[in-house]
């Protein structure tokens, strides 16, 4: 059985917004690049080769590009070191489309300034002076700047701005695309739709696309919001109470879409449609949907929308760190949402590790086996910190809770009351505790084995109480599924 499981941290907030179609994504028949690449003089080609070899271009905001040297050299070598984005001393229509995409990189949660967004208008203007062909040195610098920025952008879009994996280790767009040089040459330069070409290197998950839309929406909302903070009373505001923050609460909930624009409400009293809108806000933020304006709810309401935007941008970055394709449908665990998704057919609640103490790590692993009626060998940290103190107070604790003492070869030493000698060896980590299979086993009746460096896996649990909570960070790091039987099936 070989599924893939990865745990991933996403923003707590999704907000759908209509995505406008990109203008000018196709170069069109008037593209002068149809005339072929612009050749350089021998001196110009020598100058371009020298800059590429040096790995530094002074006109870039980030002049050093040494990490891309081999890719850029390959890109220009494939065209005989001719210019790619310039024909007849003018930027091609395709070059302008790519520049427009770089300038809008913030829409994908990236930073447009990383791709020289403040400089492109001036660069284009200098190449558009009537009757003045730009010097060859200026043309080749424009062309190289666009190549470097487009390459940086395609890599960041595919792997993330802070790629946790070695450079080029996972630029797995298609079998014939070995790296960003191939991508620009084989996909972007020949694309009928440049926008679609760039989208092909992004994660293909529906949640990623929703986040892209949310980023674009929250860019607008953050500019529209006045940022006023809601007053936080000593006791929760309940439906029917008078609350001085009604005007601000109304503006905010209308802005983010939880309160209909034309909803009727009292200007002083917290009632009706406003309380219903707060419940919707609470549900979206993983809070108890009681409609009360308590400390937790007000803290979320007072979170600046600019910070929400940053959360969404960081979530897009984390999506890019993951594999983009799977041989089988993956199992996704959205840690702060406390939910598990198995392909498109199942979603269930999960309990994850306690925040800042035993948090569930973010990782990718293969699911190698499903174990029914598992035993549980207690991690040494839990044995020493939690179970040994219980045994010191009650020597019969093992028998009452289906535990047994084993040695390093899994041989059973004791299943009954613990003697002082055995307790001492447990305390010294020379013996181990194991809980026998059964309905009271801490792993429940099913365990999903997925080898990883964190010793974390997914399993059931005999305790149902945790699934009643809205904040379900209650474990020592492993992931407890609400319905492991359904997942196993």
């Amino acid at each position: 059985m070989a599924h893939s499981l990865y745990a991933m941290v996403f923003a707590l907030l999704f907000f759908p917004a209509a995505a406008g179609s990109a203008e000018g994504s196709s170069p069109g028949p008037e593209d002068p690049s149809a005339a072929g690449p612009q050749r350089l003089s021998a001196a110009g080609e020598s100058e371009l080769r020298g800059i590429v070899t040096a790995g530094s271009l002074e006109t870039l905001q980030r002049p050093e590009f040494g990490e891309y040297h081999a890719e850029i050299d390959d890109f220009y070598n494939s065209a005989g070191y001719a210019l790619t984005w310039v024909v007849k001393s003018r930027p091609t229509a395709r070059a302008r489309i790519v520049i427009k995409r770089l300038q809008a990189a913030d829409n994908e949660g990236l930073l447009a300034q990383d791709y020289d967004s403040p400089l492109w208008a001036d660069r284009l203007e200098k190449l558009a002076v009537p009757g003045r062909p730009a010097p060859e040195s200026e043309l080749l610098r424009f062309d190289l700047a666009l190549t470097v920025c487009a390459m940086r952008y395609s890599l960041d879009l595919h792997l993330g701005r802070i790629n946790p994996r070695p450079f080029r280790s996972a630029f797995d767009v298609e079998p014939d695309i070995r790296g960003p040089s191939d991508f620009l040459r084989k996909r972007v330069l020949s694309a009928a739709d440049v926008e679609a070409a760039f989208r092909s290197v992004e994660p293909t998950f529906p949640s990623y696309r929703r986040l892209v839309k949310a980023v674009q929406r929250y860019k607008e909302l953050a500019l529209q919001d006045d940022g006023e903070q809601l007053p936080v009373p000593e006791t929760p505001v309940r439906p029917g109470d008078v609350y001085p923050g009604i005007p601000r609460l109304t503006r905010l909930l209308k802005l983010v879409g939880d309160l209909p624009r034309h909803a009727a409400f009292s200007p002083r009293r917290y009632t009706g449609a406003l309380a219903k809108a707060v419940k919707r806000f609470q549900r979206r933020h993983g809070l108890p949907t009681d409609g009360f304006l308590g400390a937790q709810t007000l803290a979320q309401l007072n979170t600046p929308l600019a910070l929400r935007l940053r959360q969404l941008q960081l979530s897009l970055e984390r999506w890019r760190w993951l594999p983009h394709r799977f041989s089988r449908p993956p199992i996704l665990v959205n840690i702060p949402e406390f939910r598990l998704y198995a392909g498109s057919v199942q979603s269930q609640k999960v309990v994850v590790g306690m925040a800042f103490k035993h948090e569930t790590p973010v990782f990718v692993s293969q699911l190698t086996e499903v174990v029914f009626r598992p035993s549980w060998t207690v991690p040494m940290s839990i044995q020493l910190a939690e179970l040994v103190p219980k045994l010191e107070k009650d020597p019969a604790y093992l028998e009452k809770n289906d535990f047994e003492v084993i040695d390093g070869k899994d041989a059973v030493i004791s299943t009954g009351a613990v003697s002082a000698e055995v307790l001492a060896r447990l305390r010294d980590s020379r013996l181990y505790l194991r809980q026998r299979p059964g309905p009271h086993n801490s792993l429940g009746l099913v365990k999903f084995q997925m080898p990883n460096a964190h010793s974390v896996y997914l399993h059931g649990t005999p305790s149902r109480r945790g699934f009643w909570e809205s904040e379900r960070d209650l474990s020592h790091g492993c992931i407890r599924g609400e319905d492991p039987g359904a997942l196993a099936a």
Side-chain angles (χ1 to χ4, degrees):
M1 190 174 294
H3 291 277
S4 297
L5 180 142
Y6 55 80
M8 193 58 211
V9 181
F10 306 116
L12 299 177
L13 193 61
F14 297 105
F15 227 95
S21 60
E23 295 180 7
S25 61
S26 174
E30 77 286 353
D31 186 357
S33 62
Q38 178 162 329
R39 311 299 308 186
L40 292 169
S41 67
E45 181 179 332
S46 176
E47 184 177 8
L48 179 57
R49 287 183 181 274
I51 297 172
V52 172
T53 299
S56 179
L57 178 61
E58 76 281 0
T59 58
L60 288 169
Q61 283 202 139
R62 294 158 51 201
E64 306 302 321
F65 59 87
E67 70 271 35
Y68 308 109
H69 165 263
E71 289 286 341
I72 293 171
D73 181 58
D74 176 73
F75 180 75
Y76 280 106
N77 257 326
S78 67
Y81 261 82
L83 299 185
T84 301
W85 310 101
V86 173
V87 172
K88 298 180 180 178
S89 299
R90 291 288 186 266
T92 65
R94 192 177 302 275
R96 293 178 180 276
I97 293 170
V98 173
I99 289 170
K100 186 176 181 181
R101 176 89 184 195
L102 299 180
Q103 291 173 320
D106 290 349
N107 287 337
E108 281 81 38
L110 299 173
L111 297 180
Q113 65 191 38
D114 286 350
Y115 320 108
D116 285 12
S117 62
L119 305 180
W120 287 113
D122 184 60
R123 288 170 178 164
L124 289 169
E125 185 177 347
K126 286 181 178 179
L127 298 187
V129 178
R132 175 195 168 272
E136 188 176 55
S137 182
E138 187 175 327
L139 292 175
L140 67 87
R141 279 169 168 76
F142 173 90
D143 200 274
L144 179 57
L146 184 50
T147 298
V148 172
C149 289
M151 201 167 284
R152 284 173 171 167
Y153 175 69
S154 61
L155 282 164
D156 291 352
L157 201 60
H158 189 65
L159 302 174
R161 292 181 67 238
I162 306 173
N163 176 16
R165 293 165 289 184
F167 174 62
R168 289 188 62 193
S169 65
F171 202 85
D172 52 351
V173 182
E174 292 179 21
D176 66 327
I177 304 297
R178 302 185 308 274
S181 172
D182 280 347
F183 171 69
L184 290 182
R185 186 173 63 253
K186 297 179 180 180
R187 293 296 179 270
V188 175
L189 291 178
S190 61
D193 186 340
V194 176
E195 293 285 341
F198 279 112
R199 281 197 301 272
S200 71
V201 303
E202 295 182 85
T204 57
F205 308 103
S207 293
Y208 175 87
R209 297 310 317 169
R210 288 197 296 271
L211 274 176
V212 170
K213 293 179 181 180
V215 163
Q216 296 169 9
R217 175 64 173 151
Y218 268 78
K219 281 177 62 180
E220 301 173 3
L221 297 183
L223 293 174
Q224 296 173 27
D225 189 37
D226 57 28
E228 180 186 344
Q229 293 286 288
L230 289 163
V232 182
E234 293 183 2
T235 59
V237 179
R238 298 168 180 265
D241 290 351
V242 172
Y243 178 55
I246 293 295
R248 163 59 179 166
L249 180 62
T250 301
R251 291 198 308 276
L252 177 62
L253 292 178
K254 283 186 175 181
L255 184 64
V256 299
D258 290 311
L259 181 66
R261 288 286 180 180
H262 303 294
F265 60 92
S266 166
R268 294 182 63 253
R269 197 171 293 277
Y270 175 60
T271 57
L274 199 52
K276 185 177 180 180
V278 166
K279 287 184 178 180
R280 185 172 187 269
F281 179 92
Q282 290 172 327
R283 184 166 54 254
R284 291 195 299 111
H285 289 77
L287 299 169
T289 54
D290 53 17
F292 296 174
L293 293 175
Q296 278 189 312
T297 297
L298 287 168
Q300 295 296 331
L301 287 164
N302 280 331
T303 298
L305 297 186
L307 179 56
R308 292 289 184 222
L309 173 61
R310 187 63 179 147
Q311 290 176 323
L312 294 167
Q313 291 168 332
L314 291 175
S315 293
L316 286 175
E317 174 73 5
R318 294 186 180 102
W319 267 115
R320 296 181 185 114
W321 295 349
L322 300 176
H324 293 190
R325 292 174 177 81
F326 298 91
S327 58
R328 296 175 182 233
I331 298 170
L332 292 80
V333 175
N334 187 337
I335 298 173
E337 190 191 13
F338 313 114
R339 291 201 75 85
L340 173 150
Y341 298 90
S344 59
V345 298
Q346 187 181 143
S347 167
Q348 62 178 261
K349 295 178 182 178
V350 293
V351 169
V352 300
M354 287 178 276
F356 309 116
K357 293 181 181 179
H358 304 288
E359 60 266 21
T360 297
V362 177
F363 67 97
V364 180
S365 178
Q366 287 291 118
L367 176 59
T368 56
E369 58 183 320
V370 177
V371 181
F372 295 96
R373 295 182 65 83
S375 60
W376 178 44
T377 301
V378 180
M380 189 54 64
S381 59
I382 299 177
Q383 176 176 310
L384 298 178
E386 300 181 25
L387 296 188
V388 166
K390 292 179 180 178
L391 285 169
E392 289 171 339
K393 294 179 181 179
D394 181 6
Y397 179 84
L398 289 187
E399 189 174 8
K400 294 176 181 177
N401 292 278
D402 293 331
F403 282 96
E404 55 193 10
V405 180
I406 59 174
D407 63 15
K409 297 181 179 180
D410 287 344
V412 177
I413 303 300
S414 174
T415 59
V418 175
S419 67
E421 179 190 357
V422 170
L423 183 59
R425 294 172 70 187
L426 286 169
R427 194 182 294 115
D428 293 340
S429 305
R430 289 179 291 158
L431 293 176
Y432 310 91
L433 292 173
R434 181 172 65 192
Q435 193 174 30
R436 292 186 292 273
H440 303 297
N441 186 281
S442 296
L443 303 185
L445 296 175
V446 187
K447 178 177 75 169
F448 302 85
Q449 195 78 311
M450 46 192 190
N452 61 87
H454 314 283
S455 298
V456 165
Y457 41 85
L458 171 64
H459 60 81
T461 176
S463 174
R464 310 307 300 168
R465 182 176 179 181
F467 299 108
W468 304 341
E469 304 293 333
S470 58
E471 295 185 11
R472 297 187 289 277
D473 55 329
L474 306 169
S475 81
H476 286 83
C478 284
I479 305 153
R480 305 174 191 164
E482 182 183 28
D483 192 351
L487 181 60

